[in-house]
Structure formats: C-alpha cells, structure tokens
Amino acid sequence: VKCYLLPDKSSGGKRKTEVVKNDPNPVWDARFSYEKVLLDELSSERVLQLTVWDQNKGSSSDFIGGLRLGPAPGRTTKRKEWMDSIGDEVSHWESALARPGEWVEQWHTLRTTMDPRS
C-alpha cells in the first residue's frame, strides 16, 4: 500500500507499508504520520491517496485499486483534479478530522482507477 498526502507526491510525502508475501488476502494494520500539517490544511487543501499494488518479482507492480480520503468537492476554492472524494471517502475523512489523534477505522471499496472523477 502506498500513501501520499496530496498535493505532495515527492518521496518525502510518500509512505508505504511492508510487502505481504505469498498471501492472496493480505491485511495491513498500518499507521502513517505527517509532521507539520495543519488541521485547516487537511479540511480544505489536502487529500490522502492510498493505492494497493500487487508486487511482482522481476516485473512491474500491478495496480489493484485505491481511494482518496478528502473533503467533498466544492468545499474548497482551490479545487484540483485529485480533489474528487465522494461518499464514504468524504465521511471517513470528516470523521478523522473531527477526532484528531484518535484511530478512525473504516472499510472501503477500492476504485478501479485513480483517474480524476468528473
């Protein structure tokens, strides 16, 4: 699983879990942290993008799916194409922002593509 706090796609903004080998149904229990990010930024200017990959030995990894947790479109004047969270992605984001420092867990159906929604 790869994680970016958009718009930062640099290596400093990237987090990832360890690879789960030889398991057709892997489970991750990971915590990611980002320093010096203000709550105001999270509520209007940032999106947490998570993508899941099947790592293949000796060849490129295959995209399995992903999601973007973030504010609902229209909640910011600085809208970017990657600010396209809807439904559970928005409600999970809002729950997490309402409880800083607490664990907020939720299951998600992964998107089949990370192309921006229109």
Side-chain angles (χ1 to χ4, degrees):
V1 176
K2 294 179 185 177
C3 177
Y4 291 97
L5 188 59
L6 299 177
D8 186 1
K9 294 265 310 196
S10 71
S11 60
K14 179 180 178 180
R15 306 289 187 272
K16 64 182 195 174
T17 64
E18 293 195 20
V19 174
V20 178
K21 296 180 180 180
N22 303 318
D23 188 339
N25 299 300
V27 174
W28 293 272
D29 185 12
R31 295 176 189 217
F32 301 113
S33 63
Y34 291 89
E35 303 297 322
K36 299 179 183 175
V37 178
L38 302 174
L39 192 57
D40 286 346
E41 285 180 74
L42 294 174
S43 64
S44 64
E45 301 172 22
R46 300 291 196 124
V47 171
L48 188 67
Q49 176 176 287
L50 298 132
T51 54
V52 181
W53 299 83
D54 179 21
Q55 189 174 40
N56 300 311
K57 211 175 219 180
S59 65
S60 62
S61 299
D62 298 321
F63 176 75
I64 294 174
L67 61 118
R68 288 192 188 104
L69 304 178
R75 292 233 175 124
T76 177
T77 57
K78 300 177 181 180
R79 174 126 163 80
K80 305 291 184 196
E81 66 177 10
W82 42 262
M83 290 182 148
D84 62 349
S85 303
I86 60 171
D88 289 344
E89 294 175 338
V90 173
S91 63
H92 190 171
W93 187 250
E94 290 173 347
S95 294
L97 293 181
R99 298 175 192 81
E102 292 183 33
W103 184 263
V104 180
E105 187 174 306
Q106 185 172 331
W107 287 92
H108 290 274
T109 300
L110 298 178
R111 299 178 183 191
T112 57
T113 177
M114 295 310 291
D115 293 339
R117 293 179 171 141
S118 35

